[in-house]
Structures are given as structure tokens and as C-alpha cells.
Amino acid sequence: QVQLVETGGGLVQAGDSRRLSCASSGRPFNNHNMGWFRQAPGKEREFVAAISRDGITTIYPDSVKDRFTVSRDNAKSTMYLQMNSLRPEDTAVYYCAAHRDEKAWRPKQENKYDYWGQGTQVTVSS
């Protein structure tokens, strides 16, 4: 079992930066590829970023590419999401998730992530 807790959300202005953290406990952190997802009011949850077990490979959708950076520190069992140049459309609840502990990695597929945090709200004002 994996327990995940996101922190770092809050109120920011457009153009500001923010770093989210996801602390993991339970199963060994480095067993899991990890991901970030977000859900804005009235919209479905969408993929934000993914990172491989060793932190070498990262994946982003076009909506955040060049602005967001995902990283992890396996010694601290923590994943991060650095968000720069924030826009009002980035406003959402941000969730961290641990991918199913299996050989195949499907970084963008929500249903392949078995463990989720409670979410942290990021609100970007214009």
C-alpha cells in the first residue's frame, strides 16, 4: 500500500511560481513510476506530468511543457512539481499518484495509477 500527501498549493498571481510536494509512505517509493494530475472546476481530471522510477524520464502535455518540471528524491520518498509562469487556466486541484507496480508504464493513463493523494488546491488569479 502507498499513502500520498500533497502540499504546497495556495493562492498565487498570474506569472508567479509555486512548488508542490508529494510525500510517499508505505511501499518503497522507487518501486513506482509517479504522476501528477489536476482537475479544474467543471472539467475532467487531466494529466500534468509523469516521472520514471529513477527520475530520468519525464513526460508533459503541451499545456504545461516548458513551464512545469517534475522531479523526485527517492531518498526522501518525495516527488515535486515546480510550476513557473502560472496562468489562470492552471487553477485546479492537483493530485499526485503512484503508478501500478508492474513492468509496463502507461504514464498518461489515469486508470493505471492505483494510489492517489487527497489533492492540493492551486488558484491563479489574473
PDB file of all heavy atoms in Angstrom, residues 14 22-23 26 31-32 37 42-44 49 53 58 60-61 63 71 74 80 82 84 92 96 100 109 118:
ATOM      1  N   ALA A  14      -1.010  35.425 -11.544  1.00  0.00           N
ATOM      2  CA  ALA A  14      -0.512  35.024 -12.847  1.00  0.00           C
ATOM      3  C   ALA A  14       0.944  35.450 -13.009  1.00  0.00           C
ATOM      4  O   ALA A  14       1.317  36.567 -12.664  1.00  0.00           O
ATOM      5  CB  ALA A  14      -1.374  35.621 -13.949  1.00  0.00           C
ATOM      6  N   CYS A  22       4.889  15.956  -2.941  1.00  0.00           N
ATOM      7  CA  CYS A  22       4.093  14.756  -2.715  1.00  0.00           C
ATOM      8  C   CYS A  22       4.933  13.799  -1.898  1.00  0.00           C
ATOM      9  O   CYS A  22       5.904  13.226  -2.409  1.00  0.00           O
ATOM     10  CB  CYS A  22       3.678  14.130  -4.043  1.00  0.00           C
ATOM     11  SG  CYS A  22       2.862  12.528  -3.894  1.00  0.00           S
ATOM     12  N   ALA A  23       4.563  13.628  -0.643  1.00  0.00           N
ATOM     13  CA  ALA A  23       5.285  12.735   0.254  1.00  0.00           C
ATOM     14  C   ALA A  23       4.643  11.356   0.235  1.00  0.00           C
ATOM     15  O   ALA A  23       3.423  11.229   0.352  1.00  0.00           O
ATOM     16  CB  ALA A  23       5.289  13.296   1.669  1.00  0.00           C
ATOM     17  N   GLY A  26       4.737   3.862   2.902  1.00  0.00           N
ATOM     18  CA  GLY A  26       4.223   2.540   2.606  1.00  0.00           C
ATOM     19  C   GLY A  26       5.231   1.747   1.793  1.00  0.00           C
ATOM     20  O   GLY A  26       6.362   1.561   2.221  1.00  0.00           O
ATOM     21  N   ASN A  31       9.778   1.868  -6.206  1.00  0.00           N
ATOM     22  CA  ASN A  31       9.090   0.814  -6.946  1.00  0.00           C
ATOM     23  C   ASN A  31       8.137   1.382  -7.987  1.00  0.00           C
ATOM     24  O   ASN A  31       7.722   0.668  -8.897  1.00  0.00           O
ATOM     25  CB  ASN A  31       8.285  -0.080  -6.011  1.00  0.00           C
ATOM     26  CG  ASN A  31       9.143  -1.077  -5.258  1.00  0.00           C
ATOM     27  OD1 ASN A  31      10.357  -1.120  -5.415  1.00  0.00           O
ATOM     28  ND2 ASN A  31       8.500  -1.879  -4.423  1.00  0.00           N
ATOM     29  N   HIS A  32       7.768   2.664  -7.838  1.00  0.00           N
ATOM     30  CA  HIS A  32       6.681   3.226  -8.616  1.00  0.00           C
ATOM     31  C   HIS A  32       7.107   4.362  -9.528  1.00  0.00           C
ATOM     32  O   HIS A  32       7.771   5.311  -9.096  1.00  0.00           O
ATOM     33  CB  HIS A  32       5.590   3.753  -7.676  1.00  0.00           C
ATOM     34  CG  HIS A  32       4.951   2.690  -6.843  1.00  0.00           C
ATOM     35  ND1 HIS A  32       3.867   1.974  -7.289  1.00  0.00           N
ATOM     36  CD2 HIS A  32       5.252   2.231  -5.607  1.00  0.00           C
ATOM     37  CE1 HIS A  32       3.513   1.105  -6.352  1.00  0.00           C
ATOM     38  NE2 HIS A  32       4.332   1.245  -5.332  1.00  0.00           N
ATOM     39  N   PHE A  37      -1.629  14.844 -11.717  1.00  0.00           N
ATOM     40  CA  PHE A  37      -2.843  15.132 -12.453  1.00  0.00           C
ATOM     41  C   PHE A  37      -3.508  16.344 -11.826  1.00  0.00           C
ATOM     42  O   PHE A  37      -3.205  16.703 -10.697  1.00  0.00           O
ATOM     43  CB  PHE A  37      -3.799  13.937 -12.432  1.00  0.00           C
ATOM     44  CG  PHE A  37      -3.281  12.724 -13.151  1.00  0.00           C
ATOM     45  CD1 PHE A  37      -2.351  11.888 -12.555  1.00  0.00           C
ATOM     46  CD2 PHE A  37      -3.725  12.420 -14.429  1.00  0.00           C
ATOM     47  CE1 PHE A  37      -1.867  10.770 -13.211  1.00  0.00           C
ATOM     48  CE2 PHE A  37      -3.251  11.297 -15.094  1.00  0.00           C
ATOM     49  CZ  PHE A  37      -2.327  10.479 -14.494  1.00  0.00           C
ATOM     50  N   GLY A  42     -15.588  21.864 -13.043  1.00  0.00           N
ATOM     51  CA  GLY A  42     -16.385  21.577 -14.218  1.00  0.00           C
ATOM     52  C   GLY A  42     -15.667  20.813 -15.310  1.00  0.00           C
ATOM     53  O   GLY A  42     -16.238  20.606 -16.383  1.00  0.00           O
ATOM     54  N   LYS A  43     -14.436  20.390 -15.055  1.00  0.00           N
ATOM     55  CA  LYS A  43     -13.668  19.668 -16.060  1.00  0.00           C
ATOM     56  C   LYS A  43     -13.216  18.315 -15.533  1.00  0.00           C
ATOM     57  O   LYS A  43     -13.173  18.087 -14.328  1.00  0.00           O
ATOM     58  CB  LYS A  43     -12.454  20.482 -16.508  1.00  0.00           C
ATOM     59  CG  LYS A  43     -12.802  21.786 -17.206  1.00  0.00           C
ATOM     60  CD  LYS A  43     -11.565  22.468 -17.737  1.00  0.00           C
ATOM     61  CE  LYS A  43     -11.919  23.729 -18.503  1.00  0.00           C
ATOM     62  NZ  LYS A  43     -10.707  24.398 -19.058  1.00  0.00           N
ATOM     63  N   GLU A  44     -12.871  17.442 -16.453  1.00  0.00           N
ATOM     64  CA  GLU A  44     -12.355  16.137 -16.086  1.00  0.00           C
ATOM     65  C   GLU A  44     -10.900  16.248 -15.648  1.00  0.00           C
ATOM     66  O   GLU A  44     -10.190  17.187 -16.007  1.00  0.00           O
ATOM     67  CB  GLU A  44     -12.474  15.167 -17.260  1.00  0.00           C
ATOM     68  CG  GLU A  44     -13.907  14.882 -17.679  1.00  0.00           C
ATOM     69  CD  GLU A  44     -13.997  13.873 -18.796  1.00  0.00           C
ATOM     70  OE1 GLU A  44     -12.956  13.553 -19.409  1.00  0.00           O
ATOM     71  OE2 GLU A  44     -15.103  13.393 -19.063  1.00  0.00           O
ATOM     72  N   ALA A  49       1.974  15.606 -15.530  1.00  0.00           N
ATOM     73  CA  ALA A  49       3.378  15.225 -15.627  1.00  0.00           C
ATOM     74  C   ALA A  49       3.555  13.804 -15.129  1.00  0.00           C
ATOM     75  O   ALA A  49       2.765  13.312 -14.336  1.00  0.00           O
ATOM     76  CB  ALA A  49       4.266  16.173 -14.816  1.00  0.00           C
ATOM     77  N   ARG A  53      10.774   5.742 -12.414  1.00  0.00           N
ATOM     78  CA  ARG A  53      11.246   5.326 -11.098  1.00  0.00           C
ATOM     79  C   ARG A  53      12.562   5.964 -10.702  1.00  0.00           C
ATOM     80  O   ARG A  53      12.746   6.374  -9.550  1.00  0.00           O
ATOM     81  CB  ARG A  53      11.381   3.803 -11.039  1.00  0.00           C
ATOM     82  CG  ARG A  53      10.074   3.035 -11.122  1.00  0.00           C
ATOM     83  CD  ARG A  53      10.343   1.539 -11.127  1.00  0.00           C
ATOM     84  NE  ARG A  53       9.120   0.750 -11.131  1.00  0.00           N
ATOM     85  CZ  ARG A  53       8.487   0.357 -12.228  1.00  0.00           C
ATOM     86  NH1 ARG A  53       8.972   0.680 -13.421  1.00  0.00           N
ATOM     87  NH2 ARG A  53       7.384  -0.361 -12.142  1.00  0.00           N
ATOM     88  N   THR A  58      10.959  12.065 -17.961  1.00  0.00           N
ATOM     89  CA  THR A  58       9.800  12.871 -17.592  1.00  0.00           C
ATOM     90  C   THR A  58       8.942  13.121 -18.819  1.00  0.00           C
ATOM     91  O   THR A  58       9.449  13.206 -19.939  1.00  0.00           O
ATOM     92  CB  THR A  58      10.202  14.208 -16.965  1.00  0.00           C
ATOM     93  OG1 THR A  58      11.039  14.934 -17.871  1.00  0.00           O
ATOM     94  CG2 THR A  58      10.968  13.984 -15.671  1.00  0.00           C
ATOM     95  N   TYR A  60       5.361  15.396 -20.249  1.00  0.00           N
ATOM     96  CA  TYR A  60       4.445  16.500 -20.019  1.00  0.00           C
ATOM     97  C   TYR A  60       3.507  16.672 -21.206  1.00  0.00           C
ATOM     98  O   TYR A  60       3.898  16.436 -22.349  1.00  0.00           O
ATOM     99  CB  TYR A  60       5.190  17.826 -19.838  1.00  0.00           C
ATOM    100  CG  TYR A  60       6.288  17.811 -18.821  1.00  0.00           C
ATOM    101  CD1 TYR A  60       7.591  17.502 -19.193  1.00  0.00           C
ATOM    102  CD2 TYR A  60       6.036  18.125 -17.492  1.00  0.00           C
ATOM    103  CE1 TYR A  60       8.617  17.499 -18.259  1.00  0.00           C
ATOM    104  CE2 TYR A  60       7.060  18.122 -16.558  1.00  0.00           C
ATOM    105  CZ  TYR A  60       8.345  17.814 -16.945  1.00  0.00           C
ATOM    106  OH  TYR A  60       9.356  17.813 -16.022  1.00  0.00           O
ATOM    107  N   PRO A  61       2.295  17.137 -20.951  1.00  0.00           N
ATOM    108  CA  PRO A  61       1.437  17.540 -22.065  1.00  0.00           C
ATOM    109  C   PRO A  61       1.835  18.933 -22.542  1.00  0.00           C
ATOM    110  O   PRO A  61       2.544  19.669 -21.844  1.00  0.00           O
ATOM    111  CB  PRO A  61       0.045  17.548 -21.436  1.00  0.00           C
ATOM    112  CG  PRO A  61       0.302  17.936 -20.014  1.00  0.00           C
ATOM    113  CD  PRO A  61       1.622  17.291 -19.653  1.00  0.00           C
ATOM    114  N   SER A  63       0.196  21.571 -22.634  1.00  0.00           N
ATOM    115  CA  SER A  63      -0.353  22.643 -21.828  1.00  0.00           C
ATOM    116  C   SER A  63       0.596  23.143 -20.742  1.00  0.00           C
ATOM    117  O   SER A  63       0.481  24.289 -20.299  1.00  0.00           O
ATOM    118  CB  SER A  63      -1.680  22.206 -21.192  1.00  0.00           C
ATOM    119  OG  SER A  63      -1.496  21.058 -20.385  1.00  0.00           O
ATOM    120  N   SER A  71      10.078  16.344 -10.622  1.00  0.00           N
ATOM    121  CA  SER A  71      11.309  15.730 -10.147  1.00  0.00           C
ATOM    122  C   SER A  71      10.982  14.835  -8.958  1.00  0.00           C
ATOM    123  O   SER A  71       9.858  14.850  -8.438  1.00  0.00           O
ATOM    124  CB  SER A  71      12.346  16.792  -9.763  1.00  0.00           C
ATOM    125  OG  SER A  71      11.861  17.617  -8.717  1.00  0.00           O
ATOM    126  N   ASN A  74      14.218  10.084  -4.311  1.00  0.00           N
ATOM    127  CA  ASN A  74      13.853   8.776  -3.779  1.00  0.00           C
ATOM    128  C   ASN A  74      14.354   8.564  -2.352  1.00  0.00           C
ATOM    129  O   ASN A  74      13.743   7.824  -1.584  1.00  0.00           O
ATOM    130  CB  ASN A  74      14.371   7.671  -4.697  1.00  0.00           C
ATOM    131  CG  ASN A  74      13.570   7.554  -5.974  1.00  0.00           C
ATOM    132  OD1 ASN A  74      12.456   8.081  -6.077  1.00  0.00           O
ATOM    133  ND2 ASN A  74      14.119   6.863  -6.966  1.00  0.00           N
ATOM    134  N   TYR A  80       8.123  16.136  -6.630  1.00  0.00           N
ATOM    135  CA  TYR A  80       7.872  17.568  -6.675  1.00  0.00           C
ATOM    136  C   TYR A  80       7.314  17.973  -8.031  1.00  0.00           C
ATOM    137  O   TYR A  80       7.550  17.318  -9.048  1.00  0.00           O
ATOM    138  CB  TYR A  80       9.161  18.352  -6.436  1.00  0.00           C
ATOM    139  CG  TYR A  80       9.878  17.980  -5.165  1.00  0.00           C
ATOM    140  CD1 TYR A  80      10.897  17.030  -5.176  1.00  0.00           C
ATOM    141  CD2 TYR A  80       9.537  18.567  -3.950  1.00  0.00           C
ATOM    142  CE1 TYR A  80      11.557  16.680  -4.014  1.00  0.00           C
ATOM    143  CE2 TYR A  80      10.193  18.219  -2.786  1.00  0.00           C
ATOM    144  CZ  TYR A  80      11.202  17.280  -2.815  1.00  0.00           C
ATOM    145  OH  TYR A  80      11.855  16.930  -1.663  1.00  0.00           O
ATOM    146  N   GLN A  82       7.470  21.631  -9.902  1.00  0.00           N
ATOM    147  CA  GLN A  82       7.799  23.042  -9.966  1.00  0.00           C
ATOM    148  C   GLN A  82       6.968  23.684 -11.067  1.00  0.00           C
ATOM    149  O   GLN A  82       7.061  23.278 -12.226  1.00  0.00           O
ATOM    150  CB  GLN A  82       9.288  23.234 -10.251  1.00  0.00           C
ATOM    151  CG  GLN A  82       9.720  24.684 -10.390  1.00  0.00           C
ATOM    152  CD  GLN A  82       9.584  25.456  -9.101  1.00  0.00           C
ATOM    153  OE1 GLN A  82       9.973  24.971  -8.046  1.00  0.00           O
ATOM    154  NE2 GLN A  82       9.021  26.651  -9.177  1.00  0.00           N
ATOM    155  N   ASN A  84       6.088  27.152 -13.011  1.00  0.00           N
ATOM    156  CA  ASN A  84       6.504  28.513 -13.320  1.00  0.00           C
ATOM    157  C   ASN A  84       5.529  29.151 -14.295  1.00  0.00           C
ATOM    158  O   ASN A  84       4.781  28.468 -14.982  1.00  0.00           O
ATOM    159  CB  ASN A  84       7.908  28.521 -13.920  1.00  0.00           C
ATOM    160  CG  ASN A  84       8.957  28.006 -12.973  1.00  0.00           C
ATOM    161  OD1 ASN A  84       8.848  28.150 -11.760  1.00  0.00           O
ATOM    162  ND2 ASN A  84      10.015  27.407 -13.525  1.00  0.00           N
ATOM    163  N   ALA A  92      -6.638  24.615 -10.382  1.00  0.00           N
ATOM    164  CA  ALA A  92      -7.164  23.255 -10.283  1.00  0.00           C
ATOM    165  C   ALA A  92      -6.747  22.657  -8.952  1.00  0.00           C
ATOM    166  O   ALA A  92      -5.900  23.200  -8.244  1.00  0.00           O
ATOM    167  CB  ALA A  92      -6.643  22.386 -11.427  1.00  0.00           C
ATOM    168  N   CYS A  96      -1.169  13.992  -6.749  1.00  0.00           N
ATOM    169  CA  CYS A  96      -0.073  13.099  -7.091  1.00  0.00           C
ATOM    170  C   CYS A  96      -0.589  11.673  -7.071  1.00  0.00           C
ATOM    171  O   CYS A  96      -1.569  11.348  -6.396  1.00  0.00           O
ATOM    172  CB  CYS A  96       1.123  13.272  -6.151  1.00  0.00           C
ATOM    173  SG  CYS A  96       0.860  12.745  -4.452  1.00  0.00           S
ATOM    174  N   ARG A 100       0.758   1.804 -10.938  1.00  0.00           N
ATOM    175  CA  ARG A 100       0.736   0.391 -10.599  1.00  0.00           C
ATOM    176  C   ARG A 100       2.129  -0.204 -10.688  1.00  0.00           C
ATOM    177  O   ARG A 100       2.885   0.071 -11.629  1.00  0.00           O
ATOM    178  CB  ARG A 100      -0.221  -0.344 -11.542  1.00  0.00           C
ATOM    179  CG  ARG A 100      -0.552  -1.765 -11.167  1.00  0.00           C
ATOM    180  CD  ARG A 100      -1.721  -2.233 -12.014  1.00  0.00           C
ATOM    181  NE  ARG A 100      -2.890  -1.389 -11.797  1.00  0.00           N
ATOM    182  CZ  ARG A 100      -3.937  -1.342 -12.623  1.00  0.00           C
ATOM    183  NH1 ARG A 100      -3.953  -2.070 -13.721  1.00  0.00           N
ATOM    184  NH2 ARG A 100      -4.959  -0.540 -12.336  1.00  0.00           N
ATOM    185  N   GLN A 109      -2.153   7.464 -18.473  1.00  0.00           N
ATOM    186  CA  GLN A 109      -3.421   6.780 -18.246  1.00  0.00           C
ATOM    187  C   GLN A 109      -3.780   6.767 -16.768  1.00  0.00           C
ATOM    188  O   GLN A 109      -3.155   6.080 -15.960  1.00  0.00           O
ATOM    189  CB  GLN A 109      -3.377   5.364 -18.807  1.00  0.00           C
ATOM    190  CG  GLN A 109      -3.222   5.328 -20.318  1.00  0.00           C
ATOM    191  CD  GLN A 109      -3.387   3.942 -20.881  1.00  0.00           C
ATOM    192  OE1 GLN A 109      -3.811   3.015 -20.189  1.00  0.00           O
ATOM    193  NE2 GLN A 109      -3.049   3.776 -22.152  1.00  0.00           N
ATOM    194  N   GLN A 118      -4.757  13.239  -1.581  1.00  0.00           N
ATOM    195  CA  GLN A 118      -6.037  13.912  -1.382  1.00  0.00           C
ATOM    196  C   GLN A 118      -6.188  15.161  -2.238  1.00  0.00           C
ATOM    197  O   GLN A 118      -7.293  15.691  -2.357  1.00  0.00           O
ATOM    198  CB  GLN A 118      -6.201  14.279   0.098  1.00  0.00           C
ATOM    199  CG  GLN A 118      -5.498  15.560   0.540  1.00  0.00           C
ATOM    200  CD  GLN A 118      -3.984  15.442   0.608  1.00  0.00           C
ATOM    201  OE1 GLN A 118      -3.411  14.356   0.524  1.00  0.00           O
ATOM    202  NE2 GLN A 118      -3.317  16.586   0.762  1.00  0.00           N
TER     203      GLN A 118
END
